[in-house]
Amino acid sequence: MTTMLASARRRLLPLLMFLMSAACGDDSSGTGNQDNGTPMNGATGTPGGVPGFLRAQGAQLVDHQGQVVRLTGVNWFGLETEIRRPGGLQLRSMDSILDQVVTLGFNSLRVPFSTQALEAGATPQGIDYALNPDLMNRSPLEILDVLVQKAGARGLKVVLDRHRIVATGQSALWYNDQYPESRWIEDWVRLAERYKNDPTVIGVDLHNEPHDPATWGDDNQATDWRLAAERAGEAILAVNPNLLIIVEGVRSFMGQYYWDGGNLRGARDFPVRLSKPEQRVYSTHDYPASLYAQPWFSAPNYPANLAEVWRQNWGYLVEENLAPVWVGEFGTRYLTPQDQQWMGQLATYIQSKQLSFAFWCLNPESGDTGGILQDDWQSVQTQKMAVLTPLLAPLIP
């Protein structure tokens, strides 16, 4: 496409977005009451949609029959790193790990990947092929295919998470000099097309932990994460209208700081506008003091102050029935009293609000938090599971 045509397309996009939103009854006037879905009364909503896929009604997720469901899962990382495959496959078979995920009671997986893992010629590292013969000679993307198939066979749902651009580290923005925004959207369209007939893959987490210079709601085309999420979301829904479009927060909004990817204060006045607002889900990340000494951890009323911190940054979306919030990451080594208090309070909040989540993480080698599994990739961290088990929901039919 020529530069002139590209420029014209960028100028027309806001108008097209507005017309699509208007056709769907979306009020994008910034009043804070936009496209909130249908408030839920009790456990049953309005039937509709496609079997196996989910959608939002108010602050809840429902299936095609309108039954309220919750995603209560765990992160299984590795595809986003330099090994370019899920962790643990050097010690165990993929089947045995997935069986353990189900036995532990999780009903879903968040699967991070990097842009580089999708490159032609990308190869996985460190797989024991005697334990995983069906992964022999497969690319990282083909290994993801196997993971999706095996997860679906066990009744697990999968959320794909574009975690990184390059395998060596996180990226504040969803693009860089080597990989433009167009490549990010092309990759998502490619994955949406690849799995569009498989209700195992029910959602896409567009980009992990946007942070400064990422903004929200300032209409800066280069940094406004809310606008970028709309552009990617519409492209994905054009291919697969049944996917949940999961949008994380940013680090800072109007001088208020929070965890990277966790600050959703801007979503009140500047919500993500999609032509299918029922497919929009927000996501936050939350961590304890052992990762970073945020100011609220030293408050005199800690940990009783945490519920208000969460309400201000993202919980209001659920408490006011505006939209679902999926806690896409939270985790801890669970070694200090302060961390244990944090996890206990967050578990209480998740349970009281009936939130969906994906615990970080399954993998023991996560340096900051450790995992559900210990270093042998089999033994379970029982103290963590004792907190998580009461929060878990059944497999989603």
Side-chain angles (χ1 to χ4, degrees), residues 193-378:
E193 178 71 34
R194 192 177 188 91
Y195 301 119
K196 71 176 182 179
N197 296 317
D198 189 343
T200 302
V201 178
I202 48 83
V204 292
D205 191 340
L206 296 178
H207 178 63
N208 184 66
E209 297 186 351
H211 56 276
D212 299 357
T215 57
W216 189 293
D218 66 353
D219 291 333
N220 184 329
Q221 294 293 318
T223 63
D224 191 335
W225 168 234
R226 175 246 200 167
L227 294 183
E230 292 173 352
R231 293 191 291 267
E234 289 300 340
I236 293 164
L237 290 173
V239 174
N240 185 346
N242 302 308
L243 285 173
L244 297 176
I245 305 300
I246 299 172
V247 184
E248 298 185 27
V250 290
R251 176 188 292 171
S252 62
F253 178 77
M254 301 292 287
Q256 299 292 320
Y257 288 82
Y258 195 61
W259 296 105
D260 290 357
N263 189 336
L264 287 163
R265 289 172 181 258
R268 178 186 294 279
D269 292 330
F270 305 99
V272 172
R273 302 156 298 181
L274 296 175
S275 57
K276 290 179 66 67
E278 70 274 14
Q279 300 307 124
R280 179 196 59 195
V281 174
Y282 293 108
S283 178
T284 190
H285 293 180
D286 201 90
Y287 282 102
S290 60
L291 268 73
Y292 185 78
Q294 300 279 14
W296 49 88
F297 293 125
S298 58
N301 60 337
Y302 178 85
N305 63 322
L306 291 175
E308 180 62 17
V309 171
W310 296 326
R311 186 193 69 79
Q312 291 179 1
N313 283 285
W314 50 270
Y316 74 91
L317 290 161
V318 174
E319 294 183 15
E320 299 176 28
N321 202 42
L322 299 177
V325 174
W326 180 57
V327 186
E329 287 186 22
F330 68 105
T332 169
R333 287 192 174 275
Y334 207 69
L335 297 178
T336 68
Q338 193 173 36
D339 275 26
Q340 292 162 5
Q341 289 174 323
W342 164 83
M343 189 166 172
Q345 290 289 312
L346 184 54
T348 298
Y349 193 81
I350 287 172
Q351 191 166 48
S352 68
K353 308 304 177 187
Q354 289 295 286
L355 301 177
S356 292
F357 64 84
F359 187 75
W360 186 272
C361 55
L362 186 66
N363 311 50
E365 63 264 59
S366 178
D368 291 331
T369 66
I372 293 295
L373 299 182
Q374 299 187 40
D375 290 341
D376 62 1
W377 263 93
Q378 297 200 47

Side-chain angles (χ1 to χ4, degrees), residues 8-9 100 132 148 156 179 183 190 227 238 259 283 307 313 334:
R9 184 179 181 182
Q100 189 170 20
N132 296 279
V148 168
L156 293 167
Y179 297 96
R183 168 63 189 273
R190 175 185 176 194
L227 294 183
W259 296 105
S283 178
N313 283 285
Y334 207 69

Side-chain angles (χ1 to χ4, degrees), residues 51-121:
F53 291 96
L54 308 179
R55 68 189 192 279
Q57 285 195 343
Q60 295 171 308
L61 294 175
V62 298
D63 63 16
H64 71 287
Q65 295 180 322
Q67 297 297 312
V68 174
V69 297
R70 293 169 58 233
L71 296 169
T72 56
V74 64
N75 284 268
W76 187 6
F77 75 79
L79 266 167
E80 84 284 16
T81 72
E82 292 177 289
I83 63 174
R84 293 180 291 279
R85 47 83 177 170
L89 300 181
Q90 76 280 16
L91 296 173
R92 297 182 64 181
S93 69
M94 182 182 287
D95 289 290
S96 67
I97 294 174
L98 287 169
D99 286 343
Q100 189 170 20
V101 168
V102 174
T103 299
L104 289 170
F106 296 105
N107 69 8
S108 51
L109 291 168
R110 180 176 182 250
V111 180
F113 66 90
S114 69
T115 298
Q116 286 187 327
L118 304 183
E119 298 266 49

Side-chain angles (χ1 to χ4, degrees), residues 102-162:
V102 174
T103 299
L104 289 170
F106 296 105
N107 69 8
S108 51
L109 291 168
R110 180 176 182 250
V111 180
F113 66 90
S114 69
T115 298
Q116 286 187 327
L118 304 183
E119 298 266 49
T123 55
Q125 304 294 319
I127 297 174
D128 186 330
Y129 291 110
L131 297 173
N132 296 279
D134 51 350
L135 302 184
M136 181 75 74
N137 298 321
R138 291 186 185 269
S139 69
L141 182 56
E142 290 168 338
I143 289 174
L144 179 59
D145 292 340
V146 176
L147 174 56
V148 168
Q149 185 274 320
K150 290 178 181 288
R154 290 164 172 79
L156 293 167
K157 297 295 187 183
V158 170
V159 171
L160 301 178
D161 157 44
R162 198 293 200 108

